[in-house]
């Protein structure tokens, strides 16, 4: 290391002497390239100033005291700058490490979401879920049983980043571990609530709506845990009503029970489940109204379920200047037979 520094000092001396004698742009270019070697060898700014002073004093032994004193002053300034710069570099390195960890967690988080939507002959299903940043606090889940019944969940984890991803993994595996109750909304939420209450920090909560659609009788059974109300569209009356399911947020109280509701789904009717990132879209005039969401759904209801959710996302993203402020998840299930 000492030999390397000596070589750098000698190279600097030659470069400076050449520039003083010739004063050309080539010398300035060499100086820029030299700065890379300085960084590679972890030479501090104050060491560069000290080196410069030594070389200048060698070239100009009769340098006025004022000029020498100015270099001493600059050296003190650079010592403070060097400390701040090294601290800045350390923070940048830590930030890069954190970003890499977040990228890994974000990739892992994607594996928790369904790779495909279960096929049901009588149902047209559309889903879109877009995070506002790399990590999402929204979660959705589909499962199909041996009778062709579809179970689906939509959840919002109050919290973001890596803790939300870890919480999401717990929710997924807890749901997967309850096969015998997975299509019974009230019982499933009660089991999940106990898991969340025992394993999640007191400052983290999860809202969820879970529903089960039975294509044999065309009934939709559902329960809610403090989640954003969805919508039910009655095609015959061309009317929307709120799909509200009263229930305490998961993780608040261990022995919470969840009421189960149900709807008879007629031909052409559809169910809309969503996260608050849909209903709390903000424009320059404030939050949009829920009526605006139903107006958009009505505008595109002639399309397939997937086309409906895609178009609604585009419209709401557009009015926010294509900058999501919250995670966006929208699910539509429409009876087609």
């Amino acid at each position: 290391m000492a030999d390397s520094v000596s070589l750098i000092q000698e190279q600097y001396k030659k470069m400076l002497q050449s520039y003083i004698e010739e004063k050309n742009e080539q010398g300035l270019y060499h100086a820029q390239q030299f700065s890379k070697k300085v960084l590679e060898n972890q030479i501090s700014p104050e060491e560069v100033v000290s080196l410069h002073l030594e070389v200048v004093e060698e070239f100009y032994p009769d340098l006025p005291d004022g000029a020498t004193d100015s270099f001493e002053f600059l050296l003190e300034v650079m010592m403070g700058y060097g400390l701040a710069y090294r601290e800045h570099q350390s923070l940048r390195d830590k930030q890069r490490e954190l970003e890499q960890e977040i990228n890994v967690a974000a990739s892992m988080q994607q594996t928790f979401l369904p790779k495909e939507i279960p096929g049901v002959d009588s149902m047209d299903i559309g889903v879109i879920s877009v995070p506002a940043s790399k990590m999402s606090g929204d979660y959705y889940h589909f499962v199909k049983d041996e009778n062709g019944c579809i179970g689906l969940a939509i959840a919002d984890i109050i919290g973001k980043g890596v803790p939300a991803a870890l919480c999401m993994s717990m929710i997924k595996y807890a749901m997967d571990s309850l096969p015998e109750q997975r299509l019974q909304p009230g019982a499933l939420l009660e089991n999940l609530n106990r898991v969340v209450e025992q394993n999640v920090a007191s400052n983290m909560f999860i809202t969820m709506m879970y529903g089960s659609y039975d294509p044999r009788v065309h009934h939709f059974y559902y329960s809610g845990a403090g989640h954003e109300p969805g919508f039910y569209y009655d095609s015959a009356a061309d009317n929307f009503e709120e799909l509200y399911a009263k229930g305490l947020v998961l993780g608040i109280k261990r022995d919470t029970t969840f009421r189960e509701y149900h709807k008879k789904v007629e031909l052409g009717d559809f169910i809309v489940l969503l996260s608050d990132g849909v209903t709390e879209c903000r424009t320059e005039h404030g939050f949009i109204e829920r009526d605006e969401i139903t107006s958009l759904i009505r505008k595109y209801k002639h399309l397939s379920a997937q086309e409906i959710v895609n178009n609604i996302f585009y419209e709401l993203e557009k009015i926010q200047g294509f900058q999501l402020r919250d995670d966006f998840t929208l699910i539509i299930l429409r009876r087609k037979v």
Side-chain angles (χ1 to χ4, degrees), residues 1-286:
M1 178 66 179
D3 291 340
S4 178
V5 172
S6 297
L7 288 172
I8 288 174
Q9 289 174 334
E10 188 62 30
Q11 184 180 2
Y12 185 79
K13 179 178 178 180
K14 291 178 180 178
M15 286 171 48
L16 181 58
Q17 184 175 11
S18 174
Y19 178 73
I20 290 172
E21 291 172 354
E22 301 176 12
K23 296 184 180 62
N24 56 29
E25 291 188 4
Q26 186 73 11
L28 294 176
Y29 172 76
H30 288 153
Q32 292 176 357
Q33 297 303 306
F34 178 80
S35 66
K36 296 178 182 179
K37 287 188 176 181
V38 170
L39 287 173
E40 290 171 0
N41 287 272
Q42 298 182 339
I43 298 174
S44 66
E46 62 267 25
E47 288 175 316
V48 175
V49 173
S50 181
L51 171 61
H52 184 83
L53 176 57
E54 289 176 12
V55 175
V56 169
E57 286 180 330
E58 183 179 335
F59 291 162
Y60 305 103
D62 298 326
L63 197 67
D65 290 341
T68 303
D69 292 342
S70 72
F71 275 104
E72 294 293 339
F73 181 83
L74 178 60
L75 185 60
E76 291 297 321
V77 172
M78 286 296 99
M79 287 179 67
Y81 170 80
L83 288 171
Y85 178 76
R86 284 191 288 275
E87 183 178 355
H88 174 70
Q89 286 295 101
S90 176
L91 290 173
R92 286 189 63 184
D93 290 342
K94 290 178 180 177
Q95 184 179 15
R96 289 193 192 98
E97 291 177 7
L98 180 59
E99 286 177 352
Q100 290 174 353
E101 291 176 2
I102 289 175
N103 287 336
V104 171
S107 297
M108 179 182 69
Q109 190 180 47
Q110 289 302 307
T111 66
F112 302 149
L113 300 176
K115 292 182 174 59
E116 58 183 24
I117 300 171
V120 182
D121 291 340
S122 62
M123 294 295 290
D124 179 21
I125 303 174
V127 181
I128 187 166
S129 186
V130 182
S133 57
K134 287 184 179 180
M135 304 294 293
S136 176
D138 283 2
Y139 175 69
Y140 69 93
H141 181 84
F142 283 95
V143 65
K144 183 178 180 180
D145 73 1
E146 62 278 4
N147 297 313
C149 297
I150 292 289
L152 69 153
I154 182 168
D156 190 351
I157 299 164
I158 312 303
K160 306 296 181 186
V162 175
L166 293 173
C167 191
M168 187 180 293
S169 69
M170 181 192 66
I171 291 292
K172 172 180 168 50
Y173 293 116
M175 293 181 71
D176 288 343
S177 69
L178 301 169
E180 75 284 355
Q181 294 176 323
R182 65 189 177 190
L183 297 184
Q184 299 171 23
L188 181 135
L189 288 183
E190 288 170 16
N191 279 280
L192 280 182
N193 179 66
R194 286 191 286 272
V195 172
V196 172
E197 193 273 336
Q198 291 178 38
N199 296 283
V200 175
S202 59
N203 63 341
M204 286 189 71
F205 307 103
I206 301 167
T207 71
M208 178 180 284
M209 186 173 283
Y210 187 88
S212 171
Y213 182 79
D214 188 339
R216 295 168 298 182
V217 293
H218 302 292
H219 275 243
F220 182 68
Y221 306 89
Y222 61 99
S223 291
H227 194 76
E228 182 76 20
F231 298 103
Y232 183 86
Y233 177 69
D234 183 333
S235 61
D238 187 25
N239 178 60
F240 283 92
E241 62 179 89
E242 284 200 343
L243 199 67
Y244 182 73
K246 186 177 181 180
L248 197 62
V249 172
L250 299 179
I252 298 289
K253 184 180 177 183
R254 180 177 175 81
D255 297 321
T256 302
T257 58
F258 296 89
R259 178 182 170 186
E260 192 168 292
Y261 304 79
H262 89 279
K263 295 286 293 184
K264 178 70 167 72
V265 183
E266 302 295 344
L267 185 63
D269 291 2
F270 55 80
I271 296 150
V272 181
L273 302 181
L274 41 77
S275 64
D276 58 11
V278 179
T279 56
E280 293 182 5
C281 288
R282 282 170 288 191
T283 69
E284 57 184 9
H285 305 297

